[in-house]
């Protein structure tokens, strides 16, 4: 039977931190590069839920995540190409974090990730 070195950590996080961690973990596991600002923007979108694109861009700008509403739009366009968000609608576009990311953000949250690395040597 193989010996496994197990590391267990227990940390109590604020809701913003735990959502940000989930987004970051998804991006890391699927090799999706994101900047700190993009990570903040995606975390903010999780809490804002389904949102009008223009309204969200203004809110993210006011929260000082990016220096302009256009920068927020550019981030969202990149995030859509990476499969992190979904856009819908023709004239008044609506955006939301891709439901396939399965991000928990309401109520009490316990993340239970289990990662295994098997050494072949």
């Amino acid at each position: 039977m193989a010996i496994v070195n197990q590391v267990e950590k227990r940390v109590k996080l604020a809701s913003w931190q735990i959502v940000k961690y989930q987004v970051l973990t998804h991006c890391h596991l699927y090799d999706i590069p994101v900047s700190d600002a993009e990570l903040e923007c995606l975390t903010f979108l999780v809490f804002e839920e389904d949102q009008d694109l223009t309204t969200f861009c203004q809110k993210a700008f006011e929260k000082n995540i990016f220096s302009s509403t256009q920068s927020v739009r550019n981030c969202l366009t990149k995030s859509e190409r990476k499969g992190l968000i979904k856009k819908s609608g023709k004239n008044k576009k609506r955006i939301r974090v891709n439901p396939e990311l399965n991000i928990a953000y309401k109520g009490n949250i316990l993340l239970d990730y289990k990662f295994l690395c098997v050494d072949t040597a």
Side-chain angles (χ1 to χ4, degrees):
M1 182 174 200
I3 296 174
V4 176
N5 295 314
Q6 184 173 345
V7 177
E8 188 174 314
K9 296 186 184 210
R10 294 172 190 259
V11 181
K12 186 176 179 181
L13 300 173
S15 58
W16 183 271
Q17 292 173 304
I18 204 159
V19 167
K20 188 174 179 179
Y21 181 79
Q22 290 175 82
V23 175
L24 183 61
T25 301
H26 175 85
C27 291
H28 179 74
L29 290 175
Y30 295 97
D31 292 322
I32 302 170
V34 289
S35 69
D36 289 339
E38 290 170 329
L39 184 58
E40 287 290 315
C41 187
L42 290 167
T43 303
F44 185 50
L45 182 57
V46 169
F47 287 103
E48 290 295 309
E49 298 179 326
D50 189 276
Q51 186 80 200
D52 174 65
L53 176 63
T54 305
T55 304
F56 179 78
C57 289
Q58 186 61 39
K59 286 180 181 179
F61 166 68
E62 289 169 1
K63 199 165 168 59
N64 292 322
I65 296 174
F66 286 100
S67 58
S68 70
T69 56
Q70 186 58 50
S71 297
V72 179
R73 281 182 185 275
N74 295 345
C75 167
L76 295 172
T77 299
K78 282 172 51 180
S79 296
E80 182 184 27
R81 275 190 249 128
K82 294 174 183 178
L84 299 172
I85 69 165
K86 294 280 187 182
K87 288 184 182 175
S88 60
K90 296 252 185 220
N91 295 338
K92 286 198 91 153
K93 288 205 186 263
R94 300 200 54 84
I95 57 170
R96 69 185 189 286
V97 170
N98 190 338
E100 293 173 8
L101 271 63
N102 197 24
I103 305 292
Y105 64 99
K106 290 182 179 176
N108 298 325
I109 302 166
L110 173 66
L111 301 179
D112 187 17
Y113 292 107
K114 296 198 187 299
F115 303 109
L116 175 65
C117 172
V118 178
D119 189 13
T120 57

